[in-house]
Structures are given as structure tokens and as C-alpha cells.
Amino acid sequence: MSERAAPFYCPYCGDEDLRPSEEGHGAWECRSCSRAFRLKFLGLLAPGSTGRPPSASDGGTS
């Protein structure tokens, strides 16, 4: 089994100077903008799924 993937850039400033945080699994710190964030894998989407619930404009019932 391979190691877990790491983020390539900060989701806030786009810089690549990231370090794992001491806050625990999935936590990262950006040294450029001094922000901390956590990543979490939620799961796989079903084939053909958009990842959002249907709305009335999508042909759902009102």
C-alpha cells in the first residue's frame, strides 16, 4: 500500500510551502499565509453522479 497523498498547494493563497501540522491526521500548515487547514477524503461518487442533490431546476419535483 502506498503512502497518503499530500496537497501540492495551499487552498487559500496557492503557495507550495506546506508542512504537516501537529494537530493530527490530515492537518497542514501554510508557511506563506500562516493558515492551517485539514483535508478529509469523503468517498467515491457513483458513476454519473454530480456530487450534489437534485434541485427543482434539474427536473426534480417541487
Side-chain angles (χ1 to χ4, degrees):
M1 178 153 288
S2 63
E3 293 185 32
R4 297 196 183 264
F8 293 111
Y9 56 89
C10 174
Y12 298 99
C13 72
D15 199 86
E16 297 176 358
D17 191 9
L18 301 176
R19 301 285 187 263
S21 175
E22 294 179 3
E23 294 297 316
H25 181 72
W28 292 86
E29 298 173 354
C30 176
R31 302 290 170 107
S32 181
C33 69
S34 299
R35 288 187 169 108
F37 57 94
R38 184 178 308 272
L39 300 176
K40 180 178 179 181
F41 177 71
L42 299 177
L44 297 173
L45 298 175
S49 174
T50 61
R52 59 185 176 87
S55 66
S57 63
D58 293 337
T61 58
S62 299

